[in-house]
Amino acid sequence: MKRLSPESWLVTAGRPEEPGASLNIPIIPASNFALDGDRIYSRESGTAGWESLEEIMGGLEGGDAIAFSSGLAAVTAVFDQLAPNARVVLPDDCYHGVSELARMGVEKGRWELSRLAVDDTAGWVAAARDSDLLWLESPSNPLLTVADLATICAAPRKDGSLLAVDNTFATPLNQRPLELGADISMHSATKFIGGHSDLLGGVLITNRSGLLAGIRKSRTVGGATPGTLEAFLAVRGLRTLAIRLEKAQETAGRLALWLDAHPLVEHVRYPGLVSHPTHLIAASQLDGFGAMISFDVAGGADAADAICRNVKLIRHATSLGSVESTMERRAAVPGQEHLPASLLRLSVGIESFGDLCADLQQAFGIN
Ligand SMILES: *Cc1c(COP(=O)(O)O)cnc(C)c1O
């Protein structure tokens, strides 16, 4: 049979195949297995539930996937591969938990850290020559800047170095970092993969076998294995990822234009807008512009906070990638004070465009 398209793969992969089997892998709450079989103890030998999640994710991005208890557990396993005194480079705009993890390692003398602007392609290319870990995030959180991954991945690199891409905002449907030359693609499965704000999970995908073994070892020894229920829910979420994302990003594209024309909005950051500074890279590198929009409102932090209090359909909440739209003033989050004070980050869900506009309009105080 011809290779399946991603939306068909999402629906069909990772299911039991034996005659008479349930179509879905059941939730099997098991730590311990009777000896002399394939599985012994689930932290070490895995469960059918999380292997199903790994099969689906690996197939989507062209590598082997390893599932974790959270996105940050997955990131931790990457940093765990570094030798002492490694040189790590992080984007200036990235998930704050990753920044915090990297900062803690510096404090403990584990590695050196420098930071580069997401769109400083020449800087990343130069850093590739003498760095041990290039950690990229694209589109970045929350400024939605797109890195020129193809150029950065093609740059000559230090022997044994790692190039990892946080692919959470793009999802495997919009971007496949391994195809562009990255060693590792990372996801917080908590977001678009789960898609319902009801689980924590993380996934790494790599096509380098030595790295795969090292990462798996880190998970086994570090114990950051996914929960049984969470793995089930993540697979359940993946079944509808294609239609959820298609709907959400179609609405996001329309909302970005609507916000861009709104008198109370000063600046919209959405990679799909031609005015976006990295729109051209986004258009050539991504298969879709995603469901995240950041925008600055007039009136500063107070006005932005009022809008967050006023929204009714959109939930004032921190996380993203779910069926329900969520919004937050990012500079209000501890450690994020460097961001524009009135920047609102909106994760567009699958509600109707008209209802979302009406909700924002009433939240802006316009009837
Ligand atoms: C949420 C998130 C993470 C961290 O994932 P958790 O599942 O919360 O541990 C990392 N990167 C990005 C871009 C995220 O949005």
Side-chain angles (χ1 to χ4, degrees):
M1 198 167 99
K2 105 180 201 327
R3 215 186 118 105
L4 291 176
S5 58
E7 62 263 46
S8 304
W9 176 260
L10 280 166
V11 170
T12 198
R15 295 194 188 272
E17 280 172 4
E18 315 79 65
S22 59
L23 290 196
N24 295 293
I25 307 255
I27 300 170
I28 309 165
S31 54
N32 210 2
F33 298 83
L35 287 178
D36 300 329
D38 291 342
R39 301 190 197 275
I40 299 167
Y41 184 65
S42 60
R43 176 167 51 71
E44 292 172 2
S45 33
T47 69
W50 87 57
E51 285 167 7
S52 162
L53 170 61
E54 292 173 339
E55 179 187 333
I56 303 169
M57 290 297 292
L60 285 174
E61 293 204 18
D64 289 299
I66 311 149
F68 288 86
S69 52
S70 71
L72 274 175
V75 182
T76 302
V78 175
F79 278 74
D80 202 31
Q81 308 308 307
L82 297 173
N85 303 314
R87 299 176 77 158
V88 175
V89 188
L90 237 56
D92 57 352
D93 184 41
C94 77
Y95 185 72
H96 64 107
V98 176
S99 294
E100 188 63 9
L101 177 76
R103 199 189 53 72
M104 274 171 56
V106 171
E107 258 174 34
K108 294 184 173 138
R110 295 201 184 132
W111 48 71
E112 286 170 33
L113 177 66
S114 53
R115 305 192 76 130
L116 286 169
V118 177
D119 58 356
D120 179 5
T121 308
W124 286 98
V125 166
R129 265 183 260 122
D130 58 2
S131 300
D132 299 288
L133 172 62
L134 298 182
W135 183 272
L136 286 133
E137 184 179 310
S138 182
S140 67
N141 178 24
L143 299 179
L144 301 171
T145 310
V146 177
D148 185 348
L149 293 179
T151 303
I152 298 168
C153 290
R157 276 200 274 140
K158 182 176 172 184
D159 277 352
S161 64
L162 299 178
L163 194 159
V165 178
D166 185 333
N167 204 27
T168 301
F169 275 28
T171 83
L173 297 179
N174 283 344
Q175 180 167 267
R176 287 156 303 280
L178 303 189
E179 289 175 5
L180 298 169
D183 301 311
I184 301 170
S185 170
M186 174 257 155
H187 289 274
S188 167
T190 312
K191 314 296 167 55
F192 292 95
I193 290 170
H196 294 77
S197 301
D198 55 7
L199 67 91
L200 284 171
V203 178
L204 295 177
I205 307 146
T206 181
N207 49 15
R208 288 180 41 188
S209 57
L211 192 53
L212 177 72
I215 289 170
R216 218 174 244 147
K217 181 94 188 167
S218 288
R219 180 183 67 178
T220 301
V221 172
T225 49
T228 299
L229 176 62
E230 286 76 2
F232 177 89
L233 288 172
V235 169
R236 169 77 172 240
L238 277 172
R239 301 296 183 206
T240 56
L241 175 64
I243 50 169
R244 283 188 285 111
L245 185 70
E246 187 182 327
K247 166 79 177 167
Q249 83 185 349
E250 197 244 336
T251 307
R254 294 172 70 190
L255 268 177
L257 287 170
W258 182 82
L259 287 164
D260 204 32
H262 199 286
L264 294 182
V265 175
E266 289 179 342
H267 184 48
V268 181
R269 301 159 209 265
Y270 182 67
L273 290 180
V274 279
S275 59
H276 187 272
T278 51
H279 171 70
L280 287 180
I281 303 169
S284 69
Q285 188 170 278
L286 294 163
D287 289 337
F289 296 115
M292 301 298 301
I293 305 173
S294 290
F295 59 102
D296 305 353
V297 295
D302 290 346
D305 283 336
I307 293 165
C308 288
R309 279 194 305 273
N310 291 347
V311 282
K312 294 188 177 115
L313 177 63
I314 298 169
R315 304 308 302 265
H316 183 207
T318 195
S319 195
L320 57 105
S322 190
V323 288
E324 74 282 2
S325 296
T326 53
M327 190 168 73
E328 178 180 49
R329 185 170 77 83
R330 286 304 291 171
V333 176
Q336 298 288 284
E337 298 85 359
H338 60 282
L339 291 168
S342 73
L343 180 143
L344 295 174
R345 189 190 65 192
L346 173 63
S347 170
V348 180
I350 61 171
E351 306 92 339
S352 80
F353 170 72
D355 288 341
L356 289 170
C357 287
D359 191 32
L360 285 167
Q361 194 73 336
Q362 67 79 25
F364 280 122
I366 301 170
N367 294 303

